[in-house]
């Protein structure tokens, strides 16, 4: 149900749970330029071109992140320009309103009203249960953009560090008034990697506020 362009030799999309593949920046930018080309024909895009443009816009919208951007600054600028142009070309001035109803398999239901007074306003709601099955129903006239975003944390894999760093003070505790003003800092750095040599290593030591070396 969507159309996009990609570079040859591209790897297949990852099929992971709760993971939606995001295209590289170059492909988003490439597809956005094609959409702009379809929408800037003179004197005006035909109905066939608008129908084809809707398939392109659908793919671009699917690549948009929850913050409204894309992979990089450059493709974000071009993609938003293309989507803005698409919205301007397909805009129909109408006083009719649209109603969007979001339901779950349980008793959850949320209604959104979209009319000319709030058509540019972001409306959102937190889903009560994730994962879960939800359905949307749209009635009325107009165009609405629905987006779901899922955020979660992944524990990073623990890797063996190639260096060992040990920092200590002499004395270790402030046993007298002199230690509050003058003390030594000991730094031990050891290379524990698999290579025979670590090559160049830089140790950057910053002083505590109020102290000088």
């Amino acid at each position: 149900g969507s159309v996009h362009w990609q570079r040859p030799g591209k790897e297949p999309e990852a099929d992971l749970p709760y993971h939606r593949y995001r295209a590289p920046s170059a492909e988003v930018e490439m597809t956005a330029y094609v959409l702009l080309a379809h929408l800037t024909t003179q004197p005006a895009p035909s109905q066939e071109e608008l129908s084809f443009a809707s398939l392109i816009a659908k793919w671009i919208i699917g690549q948009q992140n929850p913050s409204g951007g894309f992979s990089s600054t450059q493709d974000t600028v071009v993609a938003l320009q293309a989507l803005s142009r698409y919205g301007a070309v397909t805009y129909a001035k109408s006083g009719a309103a649209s109603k969007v109803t979001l339901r779950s398999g349980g008793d959850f239901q949320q209604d959104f009203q979209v009319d000319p007074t709030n058509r540019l306003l972001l409306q959102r709601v937190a889903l009560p249960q994730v994962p879960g099955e939800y359905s949307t129903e749209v009635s009325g006239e107009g165009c609405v953009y629905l987006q779901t975003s899922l955020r979660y944390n992944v524990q990073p894999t623990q890797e063996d560090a190639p260096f060992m760093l040990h920092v200590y003070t002499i004395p270790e505790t402030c046993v007298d008034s002199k230690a509050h003003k003058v003390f030594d800092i000991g730094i031990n750095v050891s290379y524990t990697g698999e290579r025979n040599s670590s090559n160049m290593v830089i140790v950057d030591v910053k002083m505590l506020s109020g102290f000088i070396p």
Side-chain angles (χ1 to χ4, degrees):
S2 64
V3 176
H4 72 281
W5 281 258
Q6 64 187 33
R7 294 164 294 178
K10 177 173 164 288
E11 296 181 0
E13 300 181 357
D15 185 14
L16 300 175
Y18 307 119
H19 176 272
R20 183 168 58 85
Y21 175 80
R22 294 195 184 279
S25 174
E27 296 174 8
V28 174
E29 184 179 359
M30 185 192 323
T31 304
Y33 274 123
V34 175
L35 178 59
L36 280 172
H38 279 278
L39 298 176
T40 54
T41 56
Q42 297 298 328
S46 63
Q47 189 61 43
E48 291 77 11
E49 286 176 320
L50 289 179
S51 298
F52 186 67
S54 65
L55 301 178
I56 305 175
K58 180 180 179 180
W59 183 85
I60 296 178
I61 289 174
Q63 301 300 319
Q64 199 168 19
N65 60 43
S67 300
F70 294 84
S71 298
S72 69
T73 302
Q74 184 166 331
D75 69 337
T76 296
V77 172
V78 180
L80 292 181
Q81 181 182 0
L83 292 177
S84 299
R85 181 69 179 177
Y86 176 77
V89 172
T90 58
Y91 173 70
K93 189 174 182 180
S94 172
S98 301
K99 180 181 178 181
V100 181
T101 302
L102 176 64
R103 294 188 180 93
S104 70
D107 56 355
F108 172 78
Q109 177 174 328
Q110 178 70 39
D111 295 330
F112 298 98
Q113 193 79 10
V114 181
D115 54 50
T117 63
N118 65 354
R119 59 184 297 268
L120 298 180
L121 179 67
L122 171 65
Q123 303 182 57
R124 61 182 182 181
V125 62
L127 301 180
Q129 183 177 0
V130 177
E133 294 186 2
Y134 296 89
S135 62
T136 56
E137 180 182 342
V138 183
S139 60
E141 298 180 2
C143 180
V144 294
Y145 171 35
L146 303 178
Q147 183 187 49
T148 58
S149 61
L150 176 65
R151 293 182 173 91
Y152 59 93
N153 296 325
V154 177
Q155 187 72 16
T157 58
Q158 297 294 330
E159 298 181 355
D160 295 334
F163 289 93
M164 183 188 71
L165 175 65
H166 177 54
V167 181
Y168 56 94
T169 61
I170 304 174
E172 293 184 358
T173 58
C174 299
V175 293
D176 52 41
S177 59
K178 181 181 178 181
H180 289 273
K181 299 180 180 180
V182 180
F183 58 88
D184 294 334
I185 297 178
I187 301 175
N188 288 341
V189 181
S190 303
Y191 176 65
T192 59
E194 298 178 353
R195 298 179 181 179
N196 294 329
S197 175
S198 65
N199 205 337
M200 182 178 65
V201 177
I202 297 178
V203 179
D204 184 13
V205 182
K206 298 183 182 297
M207 294 294 103
L208 295 174
S209 177
F211 287 85
I212 59 173

